[in-house]
Short mmCIF file of all heavy atoms in Angstrom, two decimals:
data_model
loop_
_atom_site.label_atom_id
_atom_site.label_comp_id
_atom_site.label_asym_id
_atom_site.label_seq_id
_atom_site.Cartn_x
_atom_site.Cartn_y
_atom_site.Cartn_z
N GLY A 6 4.11 13.49 2.90
CA GLY A 6 4.51 14.89 2.71
C GLY A 6 5.07 15.07 1.31
O GLY A 6 5.16 14.13 0.52
N THR A 7 5.45 16.29 0.97
CA THR A 7 5.97 16.58 -0.37
C THR A 7 7.20 15.76 -0.66
O THR A 7 8.19 15.81 0.06
CB THR A 7 6.30 18.08 -0.51
OG1 THR A 7 5.15 18.85 -0.23
CG2 THR A 7 6.80 18.39 -1.91
N GLY A 8 7.11 14.95 -1.71
CA GLY A 8 8.23 14.12 -2.12
C GLY A 8 8.48 12.90 -1.26
O GLY A 8 9.49 12.24 -1.43
N LEU A 9 7.58 12.61 -0.32
CA LEU A 9 7.77 11.46 0.58
C LEU A 9 6.57 10.53 0.52
O LEU A 9 5.42 10.98 0.56
CB LEU A 9 7.93 11.93 2.03
CG LEU A 9 9.10 12.84 2.34
CD1 LEU A 9 9.01 13.34 3.77
CD2 LEU A 9 10.40 12.10 2.13
N ALA A 10 6.83 9.24 0.46
CA ALA A 10 5.78 8.24 0.49
C ALA A 10 6.26 7.03 1.28
O ALA A 10 7.46 6.74 1.32
CB ALA A 10 5.40 7.81 -0.91
N GLY A 27 13.39 1.94 -8.32
CA GLY A 27 12.32 2.80 -8.78
C GLY A 27 12.81 3.86 -9.75
O GLY A 27 14.00 4.17 -9.80
N SER A 28 11.89 4.39 -10.51
CA SER A 28 12.21 5.48 -11.41
C SER A 28 10.95 6.31 -11.63
O SER A 28 9.84 5.87 -11.38
CB SER A 28 12.76 4.98 -12.75
OG SER A 28 11.74 4.29 -13.44
N GLY A 29 11.15 7.53 -12.10
CA GLY A 29 10.02 8.39 -12.36
C GLY A 29 10.43 9.54 -13.26
O GLY A 29 11.61 9.78 -13.50
N HIS A 30 9.44 10.22 -13.78
CA HIS A 30 9.69 11.43 -14.56
C HIS A 30 8.53 12.38 -14.35
O HIS A 30 7.46 11.99 -13.89
CB HIS A 30 9.90 11.11 -16.04
CG HIS A 30 8.66 10.64 -16.73
ND1 HIS A 30 8.27 9.34 -16.72
CD2 HIS A 30 7.73 11.32 -17.43
CE1 HIS A 30 7.14 9.22 -17.38
NE2 HIS A 30 6.79 10.40 -17.84
N GLN A 31 8.73 13.63 -14.64
CA GLN A 31 7.71 14.65 -14.44
C GLN A 31 7.47 15.39 -15.74
O GLN A 31 8.40 15.88 -16.38
CB GLN A 31 8.15 15.61 -13.35
CG GLN A 31 7.09 16.60 -12.97
CD GLN A 31 7.52 17.45 -11.78
OE1 GLN A 31 8.69 17.73 -11.60
NE2 GLN A 31 6.58 17.83 -10.97
N ILE A 39 11.06 15.66 -17.32
CA ILE A 39 12.27 15.85 -16.52
C ILE A 39 12.49 14.59 -15.70
O ILE A 39 11.58 14.15 -14.98
CB ILE A 39 12.12 17.06 -15.56
CG1 ILE A 39 11.77 18.32 -16.32
CG2 ILE A 39 13.35 17.23 -14.72
CD1 ILE A 39 12.83 18.81 -17.27
N ASP A 40 13.64 13.98 -15.81
CA ASP A 40 13.94 12.82 -14.99
C ASP A 40 14.09 13.23 -13.54
O ASP A 40 14.52 14.32 -13.23
CB ASP A 40 15.21 12.12 -15.47
CG ASP A 40 15.01 11.45 -16.81
OD1 ASP A 40 13.88 11.01 -17.07
OD2 ASP A 40 15.97 11.34 -17.57
N MET A 41 13.71 12.31 -12.67
CA MET A 41 13.74 12.57 -11.24
C MET A 41 14.66 11.58 -10.56
O MET A 41 14.94 10.52 -11.10
CB MET A 41 12.34 12.43 -10.66
CG MET A 41 11.33 13.36 -11.26
SD MET A 41 9.68 12.97 -10.69
CE MET A 41 9.90 13.06 -8.94
N PHE A 42 15.10 11.91 -9.37
CA PHE A 42 15.85 11.00 -8.51
C PHE A 42 14.85 10.33 -7.57
O PHE A 42 13.98 10.99 -7.03
CB PHE A 42 16.90 11.74 -7.70
CG PHE A 42 17.93 12.42 -8.54
CD1 PHE A 42 17.88 13.78 -8.75
CD2 PHE A 42 18.96 11.70 -9.12
CE1 PHE A 42 18.83 14.42 -9.53
CE2 PHE A 42 19.91 12.32 -9.91
CZ PHE A 42 19.84 13.69 -10.11
N VAL A 43 14.98 9.05 -7.39
CA VAL A 43 14.15 8.31 -6.44
C VAL A 43 15.08 7.70 -5.40
O VAL A 43 15.95 6.90 -5.73
CB VAL A 43 13.34 7.20 -7.15
CG1 VAL A 43 12.48 6.45 -6.16
CG2 VAL A 43 12.47 7.81 -8.25
N TYR A 44 14.92 8.11 -4.15
CA TYR A 44 15.76 7.63 -3.06
C TYR A 44 14.95 6.74 -2.14
O TYR A 44 13.77 6.96 -1.94
CB TYR A 44 16.30 8.79 -2.23
CG TYR A 44 17.21 9.72 -2.99
CD1 TYR A 44 16.74 10.92 -3.50
CD2 TYR A 44 18.54 9.40 -3.19
CE1 TYR A 44 17.57 11.78 -4.20
CE2 TYR A 44 19.38 10.27 -3.88
CZ TYR A 44 18.88 11.44 -4.38
OH TYR A 44 19.71 12.29 -5.06
N PHE A 45 15.59 5.77 -1.56
CA PHE A 45 14.97 4.90 -0.58
C PHE A 45 15.65 5.13 0.76
O PHE A 45 16.87 5.12 0.85
CB PHE A 45 15.11 3.43 -0.99
CG PHE A 45 14.50 3.19 -2.35
CD1 PHE A 45 15.30 3.10 -3.48
CD2 PHE A 45 13.13 3.09 -2.49
CE1 PHE A 45 14.75 2.90 -4.73
CE2 PHE A 45 12.57 2.88 -3.74
CZ PHE A 45 13.36 2.80 -4.86
N VAL A 59 9.98 6.22 0.33
CA VAL A 59 10.45 6.66 -0.97
C VAL A 59 10.54 8.19 -0.96
O VAL A 59 9.60 8.86 -0.52
CB VAL A 59 9.48 6.23 -2.09
CG1 VAL A 59 9.95 6.75 -3.44
CG2 VAL A 59 9.34 4.73 -2.11
N ASN A 60 11.65 8.73 -1.43
CA ASN A 60 11.82 10.18 -1.54
C ASN A 60 12.01 10.52 -3.00
O ASN A 60 12.87 9.94 -3.66
CB ASN A 60 13.07 10.63 -0.75
CG ASN A 60 13.03 10.19 0.69
OD1 ASN A 60 12.03 10.36 1.38
ND2 ASN A 60 14.10 9.58 1.16
N THR A 61 11.22 11.43 -3.53
CA THR A 61 11.38 11.86 -4.92
C THR A 61 11.87 13.30 -4.94
O THR A 61 11.39 14.16 -4.20
CB THR A 61 10.05 11.74 -5.70
OG1 THR A 61 9.02 12.42 -5.02
CG2 THR A 61 9.67 10.29 -5.89
N TYR A 62 12.85 13.55 -5.78
CA TYR A 62 13.59 14.80 -5.78
C TYR A 62 13.91 15.19 -7.21
O TYR A 62 14.34 14.36 -8.00
CB TYR A 62 14.88 14.61 -4.98
CG TYR A 62 15.77 15.81 -4.91
CD1 TYR A 62 15.59 16.76 -3.91
CD2 TYR A 62 16.79 16.00 -5.81
CE1 TYR A 62 16.42 17.86 -3.83
CE2 TYR A 62 17.63 17.10 -5.75
CZ TYR A 62 17.43 18.03 -4.75
OH TYR A 62 18.24 19.12 -4.67
N ARG A 63 13.69 16.44 -7.55
CA ARG A 63 14.06 16.95 -8.87
C ARG A 63 15.20 17.93 -8.72
O ARG A 63 15.11 18.89 -7.94
CB ARG A 63 12.86 17.62 -9.54
CG ARG A 63 13.13 17.93 -10.98
CD ARG A 63 11.87 18.36 -11.69
NE ARG A 63 12.16 19.59 -12.40
CZ ARG A 63 11.26 20.43 -12.84
NH1 ARG A 63 9.99 20.21 -12.62
NH2 ARG A 63 11.61 21.51 -13.48
N ASN A 64 16.28 17.69 -9.44
CA ASN A 64 17.47 18.52 -9.36
C ASN A 64 17.14 19.98 -9.62
O ASN A 64 16.49 20.31 -10.60
CB ASN A 64 18.53 18.02 -10.36
CG ASN A 64 19.90 18.55 -10.06
OD1 ASN A 64 20.16 19.01 -8.96
ND2 ASN A 64 20.78 18.48 -11.03
N GLY A 65 17.58 20.87 -8.77
CA GLY A 65 17.34 22.29 -8.91
C GLY A 65 16.00 22.75 -8.36
O GLY A 65 15.76 23.95 -8.23
N ILE A 66 15.12 21.82 -8.02
CA ILE A 66 13.80 22.15 -7.50
C ILE A 66 13.67 21.70 -6.04
O ILE A 66 13.18 22.41 -5.20
CB ILE A 66 12.68 21.49 -8.34
CG1 ILE A 66 12.75 21.96 -9.79
CG2 ILE A 66 11.31 21.73 -7.74
CD1 ILE A 66 12.45 23.42 -10.01
N GLY A 67 14.09 20.47 -5.77
CA GLY A 67 13.94 19.89 -4.43
C GLY A 67 12.89 18.80 -4.43
O GLY A 67 12.58 18.23 -5.48
N PRO A 68 12.32 18.49 -3.27
CA PRO A 68 11.31 17.44 -3.19
C PRO A 68 10.08 17.77 -4.03
O PRO A 68 9.61 18.90 -4.02
CB PRO A 68 10.94 17.39 -1.71
CG PRO A 68 12.08 18.05 -1.01
CD PRO A 68 12.62 19.06 -1.96
N VAL A 69 9.60 16.79 -4.77
CA VAL A 69 8.39 16.96 -5.60
C VAL A 69 7.53 15.71 -5.49
O VAL A 69 8.01 14.62 -5.29
CB VAL A 69 8.75 17.21 -7.09
CG1 VAL A 69 9.44 18.54 -7.28
CG2 VAL A 69 9.59 16.10 -7.66
N ASP A 70 6.23 15.92 -5.62
CA ASP A 70 5.29 14.81 -5.69
C ASP A 70 5.13 14.38 -7.13
O ASP A 70 4.99 15.22 -8.01
CB ASP A 70 3.91 15.22 -5.14
CG ASP A 70 3.91 15.40 -3.64
OD1 ASP A 70 4.72 14.74 -2.96
OD2 ASP A 70 3.10 16.19 -3.15
N ASN A 71 5.17 13.08 -7.36
CA ASN A 71 5.00 12.58 -8.71
C ASN A 71 4.81 11.07 -8.67
O ASN A 71 5.13 10.43 -7.67
CB ASN A 71 6.22 12.91 -9.57
CG ASN A 71 5.88 12.88 -11.04
OD1 ASN A 71 4.80 13.27 -11.45
ND2 ASN A 71 6.80 12.39 -11.85
N GLU A 72 4.31 10.52 -9.74
CA GLU A 72 4.17 9.08 -9.85
C GLU A 72 5.51 8.45 -10.17
O GLU A 72 6.27 8.99 -10.96
CB GLU A 72 3.17 8.73 -10.96
CG GLU A 72 1.77 9.18 -10.65
CD GLU A 72 0.79 8.84 -11.77
OE1 GLU A 72 1.17 8.11 -12.70
OE2 GLU A 72 -0.34 9.31 -11.68
N VAL A 73 5.79 7.33 -9.53
CA VAL A 73 7.01 6.57 -9.81
C VAL A 73 6.66 5.10 -9.91
O VAL A 73 5.63 4.65 -9.39
CB VAL A 73 8.09 6.77 -8.72
CG1 VAL A 73 8.56 8.20 -8.67
CG2 VAL A 73 7.61 6.31 -7.37
#
Side-chain angles (χ1 to χ4, degrees):
T7 302
L9 299 173
S28 66
H30 69 274
Q31 186 174 32
I39 304 295
D40 290 329
M41 301 172 56
F42 298 102
V43 180
Y44 296 99
F45 303 100
V59 177
N60 305 312
T61 53
Y62 179 88
R63 190 170 130 199
N64 196 18
I66 301 294
V69 293
D70 288 332
N71 201 37
E72 295 179 9
V73 296

